[in-house]
Amino acid sequence: LDSLRPEAFAVCREASVRVLGMRHYDVQMIGGIVLNQGSIAEMRTGEGKTLVATLPSYLNALSGKGSHLVTVNDYLATRDAEWMGQLYNWLGLSIGTIVHNLSDEERQKSYNSDIVYGTNNEFGFDYLRDNMKFDQNEFVQRELNFAIVDECDSILIDEARTPLIISGPSEDSTDKYHDINKIIPHLKRDLDFTMEEKSKTVSLTEEGNTKVEKLLGVENVYDISTIGLLHHIYQGLKAYHLFHKDKDYMVMNNEIVIVDEFTGRLMSGRRWSDGLHQAVEAKEGVPVRSENQTLATITFQNFFRMYNKLSGMTGTAETESLEFKKIYDLDVLVIPTNKPIARIDQNDLIYKNNPQKYKAIAKDIKKRHKIGQPVLVGTVSIERSEAISDSLKEESIPHNVLNAKHHEKEADIVAQAGRKGAITIATNMAGRGTDIMLGGNPEALARNEVSDVADPQFEKTLEKYSRQCLQEKEEVKSAGGLYIIGTERHEARRVDNQLRGRSGRQGDPGESRFYLSLEDDLMRIFGGERMQNIMTTLKVPEDEPIEHRMVSRAIEKSQKKVEAQNFDIRKHLLEYDDVMNQQRNIVYSLRSEIFKSEDLDKSYKELLGDLSSEILDRYVPEDAKREKWDLEALSVALNKQFGFSLPENEAEVWSAHQINEFVIKNVRVKYEDQEKHLAELKDEVMRMIYLQTIDLQWKDHLKSVDQLKEGINLRAYAQKDPVIEYKKEAFNAFEEMLYQIKAETI
């Protein structure tokens, strides 16, 4: 492909001029080259990343294996696919989108296109779902060839801690929850059990143990056969005493819906794990649903590492370049901006407390609003954005609030955040990937008025707004461009940079400033006390801020600490998942071999050979003396596995060779019988049985590995490295699983 690059990029640039009326800048061509090499291009906001992606996508799609463009949400995937689709279609390539709620047929069609736009979750889940199917014609994905991850810091780093999990109900019965629920009200706090609210833990006292054993009619609740009950009793006590209706959860439509403690939103579809959700269901008398168990899982880190070539683009990647290199083997290259940046970044202002900070922000916004300068306020959470909105309402300043609640409107509001006098309050991540044009976006304004682009009225409306926006743009420029206010520092420096980068695109003027208070999370956890003491000693008035480089440097240091800590967590998670990743690859490739195999007969005969020799080696080892043989156990094992036994008296005098001959002959007879019996259904039945057995054993294996992971850290007390111990144990469990697959299938 590299030899085609100059011509392909030139064709794409020329096509873009003819179809979209946009010509790639030279720096955008450099971005395209970096992406095509399989690296990360750090390009500032407003440098046209959407257009850059067309160059490598086009070149890599020419191979016929497809290019994937991964975005953060469905809205962006659909928007970019429609917008850039005109260009790809003109170049003779097909285009597909993978978003929520598509059928398998639609997904298959999209994946077979040359260029596919979609979200990270959809790509990952489709991979897992394909590896649970029983018919190869139903697979939706092709080989993972080339991917460009847009906003790659968000997808490859921020979301890397969350694995994708497909779960299904487990077979455990739910009766025990009702039984235990009946006895919980009889247990008294401090007499039968003790409880610590801070860490949300409970434990039974001696009296409590005796009482529980009497009520449940068991001899010893700590006995290995009943130890499971103890866990459910603890969960029941928690459900009664630590989880409260209408605070931690609500009862709606006869089911329990969790309330998110940070945002106060209902989290429908989410369930507490470990039997806690079931205990709450039993307490509230709603139907108890069975626990879920993992059927398939993968982390984003391991999913994206499966692509033959991976690249990414974002406005902020340099601060995490070490992690990109270590985990994904991706280099980060900073692409220069098309025009020099004219934005002024002011020093941070630090206040003693939050109310003073919000007051100062409102005052600053009012001043800017008077001269018609647009303001974008970035907040860390929904709750904070509402607090600032309230302080603006008091001053009766008109403004828009943007939370993560509305995806589609989000882009529209953000696109118009550059209009004269516009004030927009947004969470830091809101509207990522949307361009803020000074003076407003004429096309979006026209579309709001005339929704159909083909309507003759649309052109007139567009012309009207184009003139209006052009005039507004000059007014906004003379007022100082877009002003960005950060209301608190984020844990990661790049999120702050992302917010700043919204202003000053393509050489426009702009300004940014962060307002902080000693009560902010980052300040409080990392050295807020020292600052507080300095302010008290110097008798700084409440409403007077500190502004000093030293403070800003101290904050940056704390951010670096938090970033390093988060990197460690992700690296640790990956060490554990790498073990599973190798095992997952083996299991999934075994499945795909079964699909592709023309001759399953051969595979089954290999299984028979393996099993027979494993059983014989175990009970009649060739190099052992006759006294060490265990013919009785061998007979039982053969009967259990193949359904025939050794002839009792004759076998006593047989040599190892004769026993071997007997076993091989009888296994063959059994196998041939089965072949005759199944006739033309043979291949189909063999394939189904093999696949079902793999799925069942893999599901059980995932469950036992989950349990292993929970307790493995305790090995550190024995001076052992938990990761190495985990690798050993998981390997042994995997070997056992492979043996079980053979035995069960046969």
Side-chain angles (χ1 to χ4, degrees), residues 19 66 74 148 170 186 301 320 329 381 519 526 556 573-574:
V19 181
D74 282 357
I148 300 176
S170 67
H186 298 291
Q301 294 157 318
E320 314 286 345
D329 196 25
S381 67
E519 295 175 353
F526 296 91
E556 198 165 312
L573 181 84
L574 193 64

Side-chain angles (χ1 to χ4, degrees), residues 475-487:
E475 291 172 14
V476 168
K477 270 187 169 176
S478 58
L482 178 64
Y483 179 46
I484 301 278
I485 293 182
T487 56

